Amino acid sequence: MNMKNEAGSKDVPAAVREDSDLVQVLDAEGNVLPQASVPDISDRQLLELYETIKFARHFDQRAISFQRQGRLATYAPMTGQEGSQVATSLALAEQDWLFPTYREHAAKYAHGMDLASLFEPLRGYREGYAIPDDVNVMPEYIPIATQVPQAMGMAWGHKLQGKTDTAVLCHLGDGATSEGDFHEGLNFAGVFDVPAVFVCNNNQWAISVPRERQTASETIAEKAQAYGIDGVRVDGLDPLAVYKVASAALEKARNPGPGELRPTLIESVQYRFGAHTTADDPSVYRDESEEEAWRDRDPVDRIETYLYNEGILDSDLESEIQDSIEQEVSEAIETAEQTETSPDNIVEHVYEDVPARLEEQRDELNRLREKYDDGAFSEVLE
Ligand SMILES: Cc1ncc(C[n+]2csc(CCOP(=O)(O)OP(=O)(O)O)c2C)c(N)n1
């Protein structure tokens, strides 16, 4: 699966340039690389990949704007990361489980989550954090790396129950690899040979801490060696390469070949184009030229060029897709804004039986609501 990339070009970001083991299908413009093999998927699936990536880009722009208008709470943007999020999710089978971080809005949508319900947790509704009845998506995780042992645990549970046709896909950031949970989860995953795929979205920054300060290892994928499992490094801004790598890893998780272990650690090399969250200002800690070099490898442009080259997309279809995405996102925020909820529900869906300490916190909140009125709390958003 390995192939050389354009080593030596001064405009190629170092993280992409230095590693000849990086899996790529498309060059920076979206042309198929000479020795690359394109994943075996239909034109309809390619269009779905494209539409969902375009949806993610638009959703992100609208969500940032809604946050600025006080209609959403703090939001973690995903521009630059859409190709990897969407391609990993579209590689999942319906019965597979997704363990997302707080940045995986498009991954959740691609695995089947209803669009309006993506906005609900961002509006502070605890109901929005419940596990949906019909889609295998866990609530997004705010504590870094906490989902890694949990994903491993669910995959182990499936294996014990003989359900090895079900894989678990767990997203994490490069910062998460510095947490103990990451190492414990991967160690167990290898020892118990669980059907899980861990995708590290290496977007080069953990808020203001650069990737070089996160680990002295040359790559994140090589950490897999310590746990005896496979590690793969893929160009995360190349949706076709990510789809190929994720599909192969998920297939191996369900049906390992002789001598193969089920789990894989995928390092998806990408870049966070925007701020860490709407409460962050990246100009304080990084240089704009760094972002520009990565922008030349934009996943939206690359998949678009590929589809135009293949004759699968033309300008009429492109504007039709864009119009329907814009309408869908506007309608979803309106639906989310009409959802009625109560702060009383804040402790719901966390434990099966609400523990006494959470009940105490809810009672305290209700005392404050009575004393200051609900308006005092909503002003925080305004
Ligand atoms: C256990 C824990 N420690 C610290 C934080 C504060 N925190 C929030 S986001 C973040 C950086 C995470 O970076 P990374 O894992 O690379 O993911 P990214 O946000 O870049 O997608 C930190 C340290 C947290 N949420 N949880």
Side-chain angles (χ1 to χ4, degrees):
M1 272 213 289
N2 298 337
M3 58 211 66
K4 296 271 178 216
N5 51 52
E6 316 98 305
S9 161
K10 72 173 172 42
D11 298 327
V12 180
V16 175
R17 193 175 61 235
E18 278 162 12
D19 191 343
S20 58
D21 285 343
L22 192 74
V23 178
Q24 292 184 304
V25 172
L26 300 175
D27 70 9
E29 275 78 45
N31 304 302
V32 177
L33 283 160
Q35 280 126 38
S37 63
V38 174
D40 184 20
I41 47 175
S42 65
D43 290 1
R44 195 193 53 74
Q45 285 172 303
L46 282 166
L47 267 181
E48 188 186 2
L49 182 62
Y50 168 70
E51 278 179 34
T52 319
I53 291 172
K54 285 281 272 192
F55 150 81
R57 179 66 51 99
H58 180 70
F59 177 95
D60 211 46
Q61 288 160 351
R62 297 300 290 148
I64 293 167
S65 158
F66 292 141
Q67 191 281 332
R68 297 286 182 250
Q69 296 166 37
R71 295 161 77 182
L72 294 183
T74 309
Y75 173 75
M78 60 187 162
T79 291
Q81 304 190 203
E82 308 94 329
S84 184
Q85 288 197 15
V86 173
T88 48
S89 270
L90 291 184
L92 292 169
E94 201 182 335
Q95 75 274 11
D96 294 338
W97 277 85
L98 179 71
F99 282 65
T101 73
Y102 45 76
R103 205 180 295 288
E104 257 71 50
H105 319 288
K108 295 196 270 187
Y109 176 70
H111 196 39
M113 256 185 90
D114 163 64
L115 185 48
S117 72
L118 283 188
F119 283 117
E120 285 163 7
L122 298 168
R123 291 181 46 75
Y125 300 162
R126 291 310 304 182
E127 290 89 331
Y129 279 103
I131 300 171
D133 290 334
D134 50 349
V135 188
N136 291 347
V137 175
M138 290 297 279
E140 63 190 58
Y141 290 81
I142 306 293
I144 305 305
T146 195
Q147 72 276 23
V148 179
Q150 293 187 15
M152 184 287 302
M154 180 186 272
W156 188 18
H158 286 156
K159 190 180 172 195
L160 292 172
Q161 291 164 3
K163 285 202 294 188
T164 47
D165 66 326
T166 304
V168 169
L169 187 132
C170 173
H171 284 277
L172 56 134
D174 40 301
T177 65
S178 299
E179 295 281 344
D181 279 356
F182 167 77
H183 303 279
E184 291 164 24
L186 261 74
N187 192 54
F188 261 78
V191 171
F192 294 107
D193 190 25
V194 304
V197 176
F198 303 91
V199 179
C200 176
N201 293 311
N202 173 6
N203 67 7
Q204 313 303 326
W205 291 90
I207 315 186
S208 56
V209 179
R211 148 65 188 93
E212 318 71 86
R213 296 283 305 280
Q214 211 63 246
T215 173
S217 299
E218 218 167 287
T219 72
I220 287 171
E222 75 187 33
K223 289 177 186 293
Q225 274 183 34
Y227 310 110
I229 63 173
D230 285 329
V232 187
R233 209 160 177 258
V234 62
D235 181 344
L237 302 171
D238 175 348
L240 294 186
V242 175
Y243 184 87
K244 189 163 132 175
V245 164
S247 310
L250 287 162
E251 178 54 25
K252 179 167 74 74
R254 297 187 205 99
N255 298 305
E260 281 185 332
L261 281 191
R262 293 173 191 274
T264 306
L265 171 63
I266 298 174
E267 176 185 358
S268 179
V269 181
Q270 51 197 278
Y271 195 76
R272 158 167 63 77
F273 290 156
H276 169 75
T277 66
T278 45
D280 171 53
D281 174 8
S283 71
V284 172
Y285 54 82
R286 72 184 193 196
D287 202 86
E288 225 176 87
S289 62
E290 181 183 291
E291 184 199 320
E292 281 162 20
W294 286 93
R295 286 249 181 211
D296 288 343
R297 316 182 69 79
D298 190 316
V300 178
D301 298 344
R302 282 164 91 180
I303 184 81
E304 206 158 82
T305 302
Y306 172 76
L307 293 179
Y308 268 95
N309 285 346
E310 293 298 306
I312 297 171
L313 185 66
D314 58 32
S315 56
D316 286 345
L317 182 56
E318 187 190 333
S319 21
E320 206 181 291
I321 289 170
Q322 185 64 24
D323 290 348
S324 96
I325 289 169
E326 289 177 18
Q327 196 182 336
E328 214 190 324
V329 172
S330 296
E331 283 169 12
I333 187 78
E334 276 168 31
T335 308
E337 287 183 322
Q338 280 156 19
T339 305
E340 296 283 337
T341 189
S342 157
D344 268 335
N345 297 335
I346 207 160
V347 297
E348 296 293 317
H349 310 297
V350 183
Y351 294 93
E352 190 163 284
D353 300 311
V354 180
R357 64 188 166 79
L358 285 191
E359 273 177 7
E360 274 168 35
Q361 288 178 31
R362 182 188 51 200
D363 295 346
E364 171 68 7
L365 175 65
N366 283 336
R367 273 195 295 280
L368 291 169
R369 288 173 66 203
E370 223 164 89
K371 189 165 170 192
Y372 296 107
D373 192 68
D374 277 346
F377 294 95
S378 34
E379 273 167 24
V380 176
L381 271 181
E382 281 156 15

